[in-house]
Amino acid sequence: MSTPPLELTAPPAPQKMDAAEITRLYREVVLRDKAYRLFPLGEDCASYLRTKRKRLTPSSERDYESCLDKLARHFTDLRLEDLEPPAGTARLEEFLDATWGDASPRTYNKNLSITRDFFKWAILRGRLHGDPTMAIERARSRAVYRTTFPADQRRAIIAEQEDRRDRIALRLLLDYRLRKGALTAVQFKHFDHQRKRLTIFTKGEKVRDVPIPDTAFWMDLERHILDIEAQPSHYLLARQKGNGRKIARDPTKLMGVHGAHAWWYRCLERAGVVPTGTTSGERMHKARHTAGQRVLDATGGNLKAVQKLLGHASIQTTGDIYTDWDTDQLAATMAQVLAEDDE
C-alpha cells in the first residue's frame, strides 16, 4: 500500500506591527530583561536609577532605563572611568549617533539629556573628574507642524456618535484639550458638578482642574450617569471587548492605549473624517491643537489664555506651537494695506 504524498502548507504570513505595538513588545520583553546590569557600566546605571527613582514618574523611569540599557550594552567592555573626556566624549558621541542619529531631534535630545544626567551623577559621586557629554551638541529642533480640525469636521466628529459617552469624551478632547492619557484616566468621581470642574491627571503626573462652563455638557453627563448607573469609581472610557453591536465593557478598568487608539479612529470613521478601516494619519493630539486654536481665535490671539488651557509650563512653548496665528494676522493686515493702495 503506497503512502499518500505529504502535503506541504505554507507557513502563515507574519502579521505586521505598528510602532505602538513594537514599543509595547520592547517594554514587555527587553525592559524585563535586566541583563544590562551584568556589564561593568550596567552596575553604575542600576545604582543611578535607584537614586533617580524617587523623582521619576513610571513612564520617565522606563525611558531612562531604556536609554541606559542601550548604553551599558554598547560599551560591554568599558567601565565608567574609561569614559573620561576627551576619549569618552568621542565614544559617547559615536554611541548617540549610532543609536539615535536617524531619530527625530526630540528623541536624540531626550536621550542626550538622560545620558548627561547620568554622568553628572557620576561626577557628584566622585567616579569621574570631567563630564564627557559637555561638548556634545544637541540636535537642532525642527519647526512644529501642527494641524487642526476645521469647524465642520469638529462638529461632525461629535454629532455623528450615537453613544452619549463617546460625545462626552470627544468634547473633552476637542473643546477642553485633554491628552489621551488624561482622558482614559477620567473617572466619574473626578467631575465636580457643583463647581463645574473636572480634575485630570496628566503628563508628568500633574493634577489639574479643567473648568467646564457649558451647561449642556453637564446635562449630557448627568443623563449618561443615570442611564448606565455609573458609580464614582467607574471610568468614562471603560475597557471594552468586541466590535460592532456586541460590545462588553468593564467600567472598573480603564481603556488601554491600543483600545483608545481604535476608539478614536472608529469615531472619526463615523464622522466621515477618515475612510473605513483607517488607523493612522489623524492623531488624537490634533484634537488638543484644535481646542487651543479655537481659544486663540476667540480671544484675538491671547497666548496666555491658550497657555492656561493647554497647561504649558512656559508661554514660549505655546508661542512656538501657535506661530501660524501671527502669520494669519500678517496676511490679513497685508491684504488691508494693499486694498488701501488700490483705492
Side-chain angles (χ1 to χ4, degrees), residues 155-174:
R155 287 191 292 267
I157 291 170
I158 297 172
E160 294 302 320
Q161 313 306 319
E162 295 183 2
D163 194 323
R164 185 177 282 113
R165 178 203 70 159
D166 293 341
R167 295 197 297 272
I168 291 169
L170 288 166
R171 289 203 60 189
L172 293 177
L173 289 173
L174 290 159

Side-chain angles (χ1 to χ4, degrees), residues 17-58:
M17 294 187 295
D18 58 18
E21 183 69 11
I22 293 172
T23 302
R24 183 185 67 80
L25 288 174
Y26 175 81
R27 287 175 174 170
E28 287 185 357
V29 178
V30 178
L31 295 185
R32 287 180 183 175
D33 174 17
K34 308 294 184 181
Y36 73 91
R37 299 179 181 180
L38 300 176
F39 302 116
L41 199 56
E43 296 177 7
D44 294 304
C45 291
S47 297
Y48 164 79
L49 287 169
R50 283 194 294 272
T51 304
K52 294 292 292 185
R53 191 164 288 128
K54 297 186 290 289
R55 296 182 59 84
L56 296 176
T57 65

Side-chain angles (χ1 to χ4, degrees), residues 31 59 93 128 138 177 182 241 263-264 280 300 316 320:
L31 295 185
S59 175
E93 202 161 28
L128 284 180
R138 291 173 60 84
R177 61 76 174 167
K241 293 182 179 180
W263 167 81
W264 168 248
S280 63
Q316 181 65 44
D320 288 344

Side-chain angles (χ1 to χ4, degrees), residues 105-106 109 138-142:
R106 180 180 178 183
N109 290 336
R138 291 173 60 84
R140 181 180 178 182
S141 298
R142 299 169 187 163

Side-chain angles (χ1 to χ4, degrees), residues 162-218:
E162 295 183 2
D163 194 323
R164 185 177 282 113
R165 178 203 70 159
D166 293 341
R167 295 197 297 272
I168 291 169
L170 288 166
R171 289 203 60 189
L172 293 177
L173 289 173
L174 290 159
D175 294 347
Y176 299 103
R177 61 76 174 167
L178 265 66
R179 288 187 170 93
K180 182 195 297 183
L183 178 65
T184 56
V186 169
Q187 295 172 277
F188 289 100
K189 64 183 178 183
H190 298 149
F191 290 102
D192 185 336
H193 295 252
Q194 296 297 323
R195 297 174 60 238
K196 290 185 169 51
R197 299 282 190 273
L198 168 63
T199 301
I200 62 171
F201 303 84
T202 188
K203 190 177 179 181
E205 295 192 342
K206 296 175 183 175
V207 181
R208 300 189 184 280
D209 277 347
V210 179
I212 303 179
D214 185 10
T215 302
F217 176 92
W218 293 99

Side-chain angles (χ1 to χ4, degrees), residues 7 43 84 120 147 161 187 192 229-230 253 256 263 281 303 315 339:
E7 293 184 4
E43 296 177 7
E84 284 278 7
K120 178 182 176 182
T147 58
Q161 313 306 319
Q187 295 172 277
D192 185 336
E229 299 180 352
K253 295 180 180 178
W263 167 81
L303 283 175
I315 198 168

Side-chain angles (χ1 to χ4, degrees), residues 323-338:
T323 52
D324 66 331
W325 188 87
D326 293 330
T327 305
D328 292 341
Q329 294 303 104
L330 175 61
T333 302
M334 291 301 298
Q336 181 179 356
V337 170
L338 293 172

